[in-house]
C-alpha cells in the first residue's frame, strides 16, 4: 500500500510511537523484576509491574499490526519501519515474559 495522501504519511510516526511505548513499558516491567535495591517503594513496584506488563504486549501488537500499512514507505520511512518493528517486538516479548513470571509466581 503506497502512502500517498498526507493523512497516511503520519502512519510511520504512529507506528513508531506505539512501538516506543511498548518497548518502554516492557523494559520497565522487565527491570522491575530484577532483584536489586529498588528505586521506588515495593508496593509501587508490585502494583505497577502487572500494568506495564499488560500494556507492553497491547502496544507491541498494535505496532506490529501496522506493518502491512507502513511496509512499502519510501526512503526514511523504511528506517522508521525497521526501528518500529524492533521496538514493538521487544516490548511485546518483554511484556509477555513478565506476565508469564507473574502467572507462575501467583
Amino acid at each position: 500500500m503506497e502512502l500517498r495522501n498526507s493523512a497516511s504519511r503520519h502512519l510511520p510516526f504512529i507506528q513508531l510511537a506505539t512501538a516506543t511505548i511498548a518497548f518502554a513499558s516492557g523494559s520497565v516491567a522487565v527491570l522491575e523484576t530484577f532483584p536489586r535495591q529498588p528505586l521506588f517503594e515495593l508496593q509501587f513496584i508490585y502494583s505497577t509491574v502487572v500494568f506495564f506488563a499488560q500494556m507492553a504486549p497491547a502496544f507491541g501488537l498494535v505496532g506490529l499490526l501496522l506493518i502491512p500499512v507502513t511496509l512499502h514507505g519510501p526512503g526514511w520511512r523504511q528506517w522508521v519501519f525497521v526501528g518500529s518493528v524492533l521496538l514493538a517486538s521487544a516490548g511485546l516479548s518483554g511484556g509477555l515474559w513478565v506476565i508469564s513470571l507473574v502467572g507462575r509466581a501467583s
Side-chain angles (χ1 to χ4, degrees), residues 9-10 42 47 64 74 78 83-84 99:
R9 289 185 185 148
H10 297 293
L42 286 178
S47 66
L64 291 175
Q78 286 296 318
S84 298
I99 287 173

Side-chain angles (χ1 to χ4, degrees), residues 3-106:
L3 298 176
R4 292 181 192 248
N5 61 16
S6 63
S8 65
R9 289 185 185 148
H10 297 293
L11 261 151
F13 293 116
I14 293 169
Q15 183 183 20
L16 182 63
T18 56
T20 303
I21 291 169
F23 179 73
S25 60
S27 298
V28 168
V30 169
L31 288 175
E32 287 179 352
T33 62
F34 289 133
R36 64 184 184 336
Q37 182 66 25
L39 295 174
F40 305 107
E41 294 180 13
L42 286 178
Q43 184 164 352
F44 175 75
I45 290 174
Y46 293 142
S47 66
T48 60
V49 70
V50 176
F51 173 72
F52 283 118
Q54 291 171 346
M55 196 168 82
F59 278 95
L61 190 60
V62 169
L64 291 175
L65 288 175
L66 287 173
I67 287 174
V69 179
T70 59
L71 180 63
H72 298 292
W76 58 271
R77 290 188 185 106
Q78 286 296 318
W79 292 107
V80 171
F81 167 74
V82 170
S84 298
V85 169
L86 292 175
L87 290 173
S89 300
L92 178 69
S93 61
L96 291 176
W97 180 70
V98 171
I99 287 173
S100 72
L101 284 179
V102 170
R104 278 189 257 148
S106 56

